[in-house]
Amino acid sequence: MRSSLPVATQQKIVNDDKKKPPKKGRLTPMRPSLPVPIPVPLAEPLLPPVVEGRKVEILKSIVYGGLAEAITSLGVISSAAGSGASTLNILVLGLANLFGGLVLIIHNLQELRKEEPIRETTEDNQTNGQKETRYKRLLGRRENFTLHATIAILSFIITGLLPPVVYYFSFTTTHNKNYKVASVFGASLLCIAFLALAKAHVRNPRGSHLKSVLYYAMTAVSVSGITYVVGNVVSQLLEKYGWSDGSETPAGEMMFSLMGRKAGGFGYSSSH
């Protein structure tokens, strides 16, 4: 019918249809939506390593040279004090034990340096790389051997001197043996705790260090207590059966100093 109407009327009807709002249910073209930016989660900042380079190697060298010797020297002085030796003889015995062990640690450092890296092989006998060498695990980079050896030997001497020197110069007026042994035990235990903390920090900087400290503290307590009691018992047995010549230094002292040197050799190689 719209074709029979005049052209002006038809144009008016078309314009009116455009102005009318769309009916319900009628689809209307959607405007293209702007892209919504998706938030990208920020990466967590990497934590910087606690120690790097020579710092960690210096700590390793201090622990390698000092931890085992601190326990060994404590055991030697405890056994000598338990056997009833004089203050001067205990000092001499401690120094002899120290210089005897100094030869061993120099030898151990040389052997550790000469160790070849262990190569991993597959089932087809193909080389799959190299494992971490004992030298790198215990001390660090092999090219810094002079630094490692110097610090390890200094640490060995200082920790080995601590028990006999403390025993000799403590309570010089009263010369109470029990007080002297207690002062040696306290100083050595404090030194061992610091070395155990350093070892745990080197192995796992962000882990718990309490387990390592407790382990070596209990080891020091056991070594000191056992060597003191055994030294006292052996001294009494030597006197009882007439095997002692009556001098101030019983024959059992040197034997227990050697036992202490063997017992203290586990030191740094322990997994704790």
Side-chain angles (χ1 to χ4, degrees):
M1 292 179 62
R2 189 175 291 185
S3 60
S4 61
L5 296 176
V7 177
T9 305
Q10 293 181 11
Q11 186 66 31
K12 185 177 179 182
I13 294 173
V14 171
N15 293 336
D16 292 341
D17 290 341
K18 290 182 179 180
K19 294 179 181 180
K20 290 181 180 179
K23 296 181 179 179
K24 293 184 179 180
R26 187 177 177 180
L27 297 177
T28 56
M30 300 291 294
R31 292 183 179 179
S33 58
L34 297 175
V36 180
I38 301 175
V40 180
L42 296 177
E44 295 183 359
L46 296 176
L47 295 176
V50 180
V51 286
E52 293 181 355
R54 291 196 173 186
K55 291 182 180 180
V56 66
E57 294 185 1
I58 290 173
L59 279 178
K60 285 183 176 182
S61 302
I62 292 173
V63 174
Y64 181 84
L67 186 55
E69 179 59 21
I71 298 175
T72 301
S73 185
L74 174 61
V76 170
I77 299 303
S78 298
S79 65
S83 65
S86 66
T87 302
L88 180 61
N89 286 337
I90 291 176
L91 176 64
V92 172
L93 185 62
L95 294 178
N97 170 76
L98 172 65
F99 288 106
L102 190 60
V103 178
L104 293 178
I105 191 172
I106 294 174
H107 173 75
N108 291 339
L109 286 169
Q110 291 289 346
E111 290 295 322
L112 192 61
R113 184 186 185 185
K114 295 177 182 177
E115 279 190 3
E116 295 293 334
I118 302 174
R119 296 182 179 272
E120 290 182 337
T121 55
T122 61
E123 296 180 356
D124 300 332
N125 294 327
Q126 295 179 354
T127 303
N128 194 25
Q130 293 181 355
K131 284 186 177 180
E132 185 182 21
T133 60
R134 286 184 66 242
Y135 189 96
K136 185 176 181 181
R137 179 170 58 88
L138 297 178
L139 294 174
R141 292 169 293 179
R142 201 181 296 264
E143 55 267 23
N144 294 331
F145 173 77
T146 303
L147 175 67
H148 301 157
T150 303
I151 295 176
I153 291 172
L154 287 176
S155 176
F156 181 91
I157 294 174
I158 292 172
T159 55
L161 279 175
L162 183 64
V165 169
V166 170
Y167 188 91
Y168 185 81
F169 288 103
S170 62
F171 300 99
T172 54
T173 55
T174 60
H175 296 286
N176 190 305
K177 183 181 70 173
N178 294 329
Y179 292 165
K180 285 178 174 289
V181 172
S183 61
V184 169
F185 178 76
S188 298
L189 190 61
L190 187 63
C191 176
I192 292 168
F194 278 120
L195 291 173
L197 276 174
K199 178 180 177 180
H201 177 71
V202 166
R203 286 179 176 263
N204 189 8
R206 298 182 183 91
S208 176
H209 305 338
L210 182 60
K211 181 180 178 182
S212 178
V213 175
L214 290 178
Y215 173 79
Y216 285 104
M218 292 302 298
T219 302
V221 171
S222 302
V223 169
S224 178
I226 292 174
T227 53
Y228 184 87
V229 172
V230 174
N232 190 13
V233 171
V234 171
S235 177
Q236 293 178 2
L237 289 176
L238 292 176
E239 293 179 358
K240 179 178 180 180
Y241 292 101
W243 295 341
S244 175
D245 58 0
S247 61
E248 291 182 335
T249 306
E253 290 180 19
M254 187 59 66
M255 178 182 67
F256 287 107
S257 68
L258 295 176
M259 289 175 61
R261 167 64 53 194
K262 294 291 184 181
F266 72 98
Y268 192 77
S269 61
S270 173
S271 60
H272 292 78

